[in-house]
Amino acid sequence: MKVDVLLGLQWGDEGKGKIVDVLTPNYDLITRFQGGPNAGHTLEFNNIKHVLHTIPSGIFRDDKLNVIGNGVVIDPVIFKKEIDDLKKIDIDISKNLYISKKAHLILPSHRVLDAANEAAKGKAKIGSTLKGIGPTYTDKISRYGLRVGDINNDFDNKYNTLLERHKQILDKQFSWEYDITEYEKEWLEGIKLLSTFNLIDSENFINESMKAGKSVLAEGAQGTLLDIDFGSYPFVTSSNTTSAGACTGLGIAPNKIGEVFGIFKAYCTRVGAGPFPTELFDETGELLAQKGHEFGATTGRARRCGWLDLVALKYAIMIDGVTQLIMMKSDVMDEFDTIKICTAYKLNGEIIDYVPYEMTEDIEPVYTEFPGWKEDMTKVSSEEQFSENFKNYISFIEKETETKITVVSVGPDRAQTIVRK
Ligand code: GDP
Ligand code: IMO
Ligand code: MG
């Protein structure tokens, strides 16, 4: 069996949580491979809305196993909150959630470092979620990190050594004032809870499961344009959000990757700082934000909105090796008379059809216009009901990207999903 990967092709918040939940019945194992509580994945069913940060979105189907892979970074406080919230609705996941011993821990002091780093950047700040993601991955790469497997292995000593190092940096480099006493208490409770879970060498577990014929879905976090290598650096996150990240974040060989589901909104959003060529500053952007409820699931921040950017989408499809496209939130544009798609960029008077090294503010999008579909997509339940204008919009994207759109989402609920034949 191979691992299918589902990941975002834009700047995150494409609707990954919803679709992983929809696809979960087809798989035995649902795995997360990178990111951490900077992610907010929303699922809706039976009129209830859930937001997950660290736990894979397969958790609501009780016959499935969920795995947090080695590439993920975990904040035990946020992890505990997620577990407590699930307990409130009678969901006990202690038996069907496994956690890699090689996943790194976000310390309370990593969060403080994140804030200090951002403040030091001033106007050039990234707009981080301030969950400690960057500093935790920095420690991982510079080989100072604390891992889940350390919980049962000289933990106090290792924790204090790393904390001491952070204190030095915060005092000497930043002269930063902070108090982590309360957070640290909660954090240690979270560590206790973590230690009650199945802590495993998940790379062995996943590969052995595959050999035994089990099917695996890998759930990405963030989006391709936030990738540390291929995103709009430095306005990116600190992990590989692309399909290659599934290999390193789970311990899966490249030839074990099967389908790559690339998920995108019918328009674009971005939260935090950084270039966004098709961003709209007018009432159309406002309408997308309002109708799409474009507020961050993790930070509540308003998301910036704009037209679909096909130049960036094609780049993401290339990097990820996308085999199927999933288009989300088409219902948000139901009332528009005209809809635009960016098909090229104009840079220094020249028309280009690729993502340049630096996505500067000088990039001007070149648009192709489409008549709006003007129908209530939330009422559409099969592709036979798609209007001509909607069909034109999706077939244009398919032609340009040379990739099939196999799923269309027409609302936030699990049921509002159309699988095309
Ligand atoms: P993720 O981070 O990729 O899982 O996405 P988020 O959960 O951060 O953001 C997606 C938002 O869009 C959530 O509030 C979803 O409930 C909502 N959503 C998902 N699909 C659709 C859709 O097809 N239509 C509408 N209107 N909302 C959707
Ligand atoms: P999901 O999985 C949208 C953005 C932040 C910031 C940049 C760096 O829900 O799609 P970080 O906290 O990683 O240091 O922030 O990345 N960002 C996201 N934007 N969705 C996310 O996750 C994001 N995770 C991080 O806003 O611009
Ligand atoms: Mg999100």
Side-chain angles (χ1 to χ4, degrees), residues 83-136:
I83 302 283
D84 290 346
D85 284 349
L86 290 168
K87 274 192 195 142
K88 276 185 210 149
I89 50 168
D90 282 333
I91 298 182
D92 174 12
I93 60 168
S94 54
K95 296 282 173 297
N96 55 358
L97 178 67
Y98 291 6
I99 303 167
S100 168
K101 286 197 263 187
K102 297 187 177 77
H104 279 243
L105 291 167
I106 302 177
L107 270 59
S109 45
H110 278 132
R111 292 165 60 96
V112 183
L113 279 167
D114 214 355
N117 274 325
E118 278 285 74
K121 286 194 162 135
K123 276 195 186 141
K125 72 174 188 180
I126 310 296
S128 162
T129 60
L130 300 178
K131 303 292 177 198
I133 305 296
T136 306

Side-chain angles (χ1 to χ4, degrees), residues 178-251:
Y178 58 95
D179 179 3
I180 53 167
T181 327
E182 277 310 304
Y183 204 84
E184 194 181 47
K185 259 190 225 154
E186 287 179 53
W187 192 83
L188 290 168
E189 278 170 32
I191 290 285
K192 239 188 246 161
L193 176 71
L194 259 176
S195 71
T196 64
F197 277 81
N198 257 315
L199 309 181
I200 60 166
D201 289 310
S202 59
E203 65 280 27
N204 294 340
F205 177 74
I206 293 168
N207 280 289
E208 277 159 21
S209 300
M210 284 196 294
K211 255 193 204 159
K214 305 266 190 225
S215 52
V216 182
L217 179 65
E219 171 180 4
Q222 290 79 57
T224 301
L225 305 179
L226 288 171
D227 182 89
I228 184 73
D229 283 282
F230 302 107
S232 44
Y233 193 89
F235 300 100
V236 293
T237 190
S238 298
S239 64
N240 281 117
T241 58
T242 40
S243 51
C247 294
T248 55
L250 294 171

Side-chain angles (χ1 to χ4, degrees), residues 207-321:
N207 280 289
E208 277 159 21
S209 300
M210 284 196 294
K211 255 193 204 159
K214 305 266 190 225
S215 52
V216 182
L217 179 65
E219 171 180 4
Q222 290 79 57
T224 301
L225 305 179
L226 288 171
D227 182 89
I228 184 73
D229 283 282
F230 302 107
S232 44
Y233 193 89
F235 300 100
V236 293
T237 190
S238 298
S239 64
N240 281 117
T241 58
T242 40
S243 51
C247 294
T248 55
L250 294 171
I252 285 161
N255 61 357
K256 295 274 163 47
I257 300 284
E259 293 294 321
V260 179
F261 301 109
I263 178 164
F264 69 103
K265 282 179 190 167
Y267 49 97
C268 273
T269 64
R270 171 162 208 170
V271 60
F276 181 178
T278 62
E279 182 169 12
L280 293 165
F281 299 95
D282 56 7
E283 60 273 23
T284 308
E286 201 56 33
L287 199 61
L288 285 171
Q290 269 171 27
K291 272 211 79 183
H293 303 290
E294 295 297 355
F295 295 92
T298 294
T299 57
R301 290 180 295 176
R303 295 177 184 145
R304 301 151 66 191
C305 297
W307 297 118
L308 182 66
D309 183 341
L310 216 52
V311 182
L313 191 72
K314 283 186 199 170
Y315 180 72
I317 291 170
M318 171 184 82
I319 298 287
D320 291 317

Side-chain angles (χ1 to χ4, degrees), residues 55-90:
I55 297 171
S57 302
I59 209 71
F60 295 101
R61 317 266 189 176
D62 53 16
D63 55 336
K64 307 295 174 183
L65 270 180
N66 291 263
V67 180
I68 299 178
N70 56 281
V72 176
V73 290
I74 303 173
D75 182 334
V77 176
I78 295 172
F79 176 76
K80 184 170 183 300
K81 279 199 187 116
E82 287 185 74
I83 302 283
D84 290 346
D85 284 349
L86 290 168
K87 274 192 195 142
K88 276 185 210 149
I89 50 168
D90 282 333

